[in-house]
Amino acid sequence: MRRFTGTTLGTFRKNFKPIILLAWLIIPIIFIASSPGCTPKQRQEPSQGVEIGEFEADPAVWGKKYPDHYDTYLQNNMTARTEYGGSDKYSKLEREPLLKTLFSGYGFSKEYTEDRGHTYSLEDIRMIDPARKSAGTCITCKTANFKELYNKYGESYYTQPITHLLDEAKHPIACIDCHDPKTNALVITRPALKEAFARQGKDITKATRNEMRSLVCAQCHVEYYFQTGTKKLTFPWDKGFRADDILQYYQELGFTDWEHADAKTPMLKAQHPDYELNQNSTHQRNGVSCSDCHMPYVRIGTSKISSHWMTSPLRYISEACGTCHRQSEDYLKERILYTQRRVYDQLIKGEQVVAGAIESISSASKLPTVNAAKLTEARSLHRQAQWYLDFISAENSMGFHNPQEALRLLSESQRLAGESRIRALEALSGASLPPLPSPGPAPGLTSTQEDKSPKQ
């Protein structure tokens, strides 16, 4: 038998060294990967034979058929505050004390809190001061039992006492609000959205799936009002989606939410016009849906699903932003906050200017010799100024959904509030002061025109 000589053994060692090195690299990786804490999350198998009823509002029942989606939905139970919002319940009145002045005489001057996640929607509305709740319309976007309740009561649902409907509502916003129980397809369950598009001459049933990934959100994340008498939930989009269009709609309707306690101005209160502000934004024009950013695709095992943790993209930048943007998470987060800081700075300045207008109107109105016509003009300008301001304040992205439009509205708000204060001073003195210059709309685009540039 041939023995290894020194030369042969040396050659063997030389040739075998890469194999040994490779083994040293692979064996630890295999060991680590097989450790329980490092095993990738595996996809859960749905329960067989699960049937979901037509009005099934309990997300746990849906979770038996769609366990991975349900697991991500339960993440909505986590609350956290982002720099300018989030899902943590805190008082906006403490963060921005001037809101008490702006909403004097209205419930929001007493209680104005940040909403928590979708899983808390029903619990949170139960905690609101009962004096601020009346019609059943108030829980339309707070419970997954809406579909069943509306089927039971029809349009009289809107005038049902809210205490009565709260007794029947058992589940917060959940699966049935956006999905067909039989096919799981995206569906519209709130009549107000269908009706709003129908008045625009649009058939929402022909929407693409990508459009539906925003429209299901537009059932609730919008500006709305209750019709006088019927309390019917209505979206004021007949003239368009812009704040200017909606203001014109309300002006022609003669609609008022409340009379300001100090200025005696007939006021409007914006709700949460997320869908409206997003229209004609850079993201929207390029086909990015609400779900792409707020419910991005995630991998569970070998499967890819749309996360049902409906939250700020700041809480998962890689999945929400990284699909299109290749920069680092730190860079992307800083760009988001940079935009929001600029909007917030102008928002706070706007609150100060509008509060000044309120003070001037209030002071002028107390004098018996005041010029009534000038005072009426001051109040009209105050109404417009605060509407534009509140459109951004009540919206949930601190302007990020459409930064250019947000800053335009805040600029216009400050100009109108300044004009309002001038009219109040004129009402006192009887003299006419020169109006403040208006920045006007962007060149080639009026305040109510839609951007017709081609999509990329």
Side-chain angles (χ1 to χ4, degrees):
M1 180 181 293
R2 186 179 179 186
R3 297 175 59 192
F4 281 114
T5 63
T7 302
T8 305
L9 183 59
T11 302
F12 172 79
R13 287 173 176 167
K14 180 179 179 181
N15 294 334
F16 195 64
K17 189 178 294 183
I19 299 175
I20 296 174
L21 180 60
L22 185 62
W24 285 348
L25 292 173
I26 291 176
I27 291 173
I29 293 174
I30 295 174
F31 175 77
I32 292 172
S34 63
S35 300
C38 297
T39 304
K41 184 177 180 181
Q42 297 300 309
R43 183 177 183 274
Q44 299 182 65
E45 291 300 323
S47 300
Q48 298 299 317
V50 175
E51 293 293 333
I52 300 176
E54 181 182 2
F55 299 112
E56 183 54 71
D58 187 352
V61 175
W62 288 68
K64 294 176 182 178
K65 191 168 185 177
Y66 307 103
D68 293 329
H69 297 77
Y70 181 61
D71 275 357
T72 61
Y73 169 81
L74 291 178
Q75 290 181 272
N76 291 294
N77 291 330
M78 299 187 296
T79 61
R81 188 184 300 192
T82 57
E83 282 74 3
Y84 298 102
S87 57
D88 188 27
K89 195 176 184 70
Y90 67 89
S91 173
K92 293 185 178 182
L93 300 177
E94 293 179 4
R95 187 185 70 177
E96 300 168 34
L98 279 178
L99 292 177
K100 297 177 183 179
T101 300
L102 269 56
F103 296 119
S104 179
Y106 204 40
F108 285 95
S109 67
K110 304 294 183 183
E111 182 183 30
Y112 196 179
T113 57
E114 180 67 45
D115 292 330
R116 293 187 289 176
H118 291 68
T119 53
Y120 292 100
S121 59
L122 193 55
E123 179 181 331
D124 282 351
I125 197 170
R126 293 185 194 277
M127 296 169 63
I128 292 176
D129 183 347
R132 291 184 54 205
K133 301 179 293 185
S134 56
T137 319
C138 294
I139 69 166
T140 298
C141 280
K142 305 299 182 183
T143 177
N145 294 102
F146 168 80
K147 184 178 177 181
E148 182 178 10
L149 292 171
Y150 191 80
N151 182 72
K152 177 180 179 180
Y153 294 108
E155 292 212 350
S156 68
Y157 158 87
Y158 296 120
T159 54
Q160 294 292 317
I162 191 171
T163 51
H164 174 57
L165 293 183
L166 283 173
D167 288 340
E168 296 190 58
K170 305 302 180 185
H171 299 284
I173 295 297
C175 318
I176 197 171
D177 292 302
C178 304
H179 292 279
D180 184 291
K182 293 189 179 299
T183 66
N184 200 37
L186 294 174
V187 293
I188 303 302
T189 56
R190 285 1 183 224
L193 183 68
K194 299 176 185 177
E195 293 162 356
F197 277 106
R199 293 195 304 273
Q200 291 184 349
K202 298 176 182 177
D203 184 356
I204 202 171
T205 63
K206 296 181 179 179
T208 66
R209 186 176 186 279
N210 191 55
E211 289 171 334
M212 288 295 291
R213 283 168 56 81
S214 289
L215 288 173
V216 290
C217 306
Q219 298 183 98
C220 295
H221 287 262
V222 293
E223 163 63 13
Y224 63 84
Y225 73 102
F226 301 167
Q227 290 186 12
T228 303
T230 65
K231 302 295 183 182
K232 183 176 180 178
L233 182 66
T234 306
F235 299 169
W237 297 347
D238 294 31
K239 298 181 180 299
F241 296 108
R242 286 192 168 201
D244 313 72
D245 304 325
I246 297 172
L247 175 61
Q248 184 182 355
Y249 174 94
Y250 283 141
Q251 300 285 60
E252 294 180 7
L253 186 64
F255 182 81
T256 295
D257 279 303
W258 92 103
E259 182 180 88
H260 195 280
D262 303 318
K264 307 304 178 186
T265 303
M267 300 298 296
L268 296 170
K269 174 70 185 82
Q271 307 307 323
H272 24 64
D274 308 329
Y275 181 77
E276 293 93 336
L277 184 64
N278 189 52
Q279 298 304 299
N280 282 314
S281 67
T282 298
H283 286 93
Q284 191 267 341
R285 292 292 296 172
N286 282 278
V288 179
S289 73
C290 303
S291 300
D292 288 327
C293 300
H294 295 277
M295 300 174 62
Y297 288 111
V298 295
R299 287 205 172 274
I300 298 181
T302 58
S303 298
K304 183 178 79 170
I305 69 168
S306 181
S307 172
H308 281 60
W309 181 25
M310 297 159 277
T311 189
S312 167
L314 286 168
R315 299 185 70 182
Y316 39 16
I317 292 177
S318 178
E319 294 85 352
C321 309
T323 302
C324 300
H325 301 282
R326 301 307 181 190
Q327 297 90 340
S328 70
E329 288 193 24
D330 288 343
Y331 173 85
L332 293 171
K333 181 177 181 180
E334 176 52 35
R335 295 311 300 171
I336 294 170
L337 296 179
Y338 173 86
T339 299
Q340 291 182 317
R341 279 194 293 268
R342 296 302 179 271
V343 173
Y344 185 70
D345 287 347
Q346 292 305 311
L347 179 71
I348 296 302
K349 289 179 182 177
E351 289 180 1
Q352 295 168 349
V353 180
V354 173
I358 291 171
E359 180 183 9
S360 296
I361 294 171
S362 178
S363 298
S365 65
K366 295 174 183 177
L367 297 179
T369 57
V370 69
N371 184 316
K374 292 289 186 181
L375 192 60
T376 298
E377 288 183 41
R379 286 174 174 147
S380 176
L381 290 163
H382 166 215
R383 171 182 164 99
Q384 297 172 56
Q386 189 161 324
W387 164 252
Y388 288 135
L389 177 73
D390 196 30
F391 200 86
I392 302 306
S393 178
E395 200 267 343
N396 282 306
S397 73
M398 192 50 69
F400 189 78
H401 284 148
N402 195 336
Q404 298 91 337
E405 180 69 356
L407 291 172
R408 181 187 76 84
L409 292 175
L410 292 174
S411 174
E412 183 66 358
S413 171
Q414 293 175 35
R415 185 189 71 80
L416 290 166
E419 285 281 2
S420 174
R421 195 165 195 178
I422 288 174
R423 294 296 173 273
L425 293 173
E426 290 176 348
L428 285 173
S429 65
S432 294
L433 301 176
L436 296 175
S438 172
L445 182 66
T446 68
S447 62
T448 56
Q449 280 181 326
E450 181 181 357
D451 181 4
K452 299 297 184 180
S453 59
K455 294 183 179 181
Q456 298 298 315

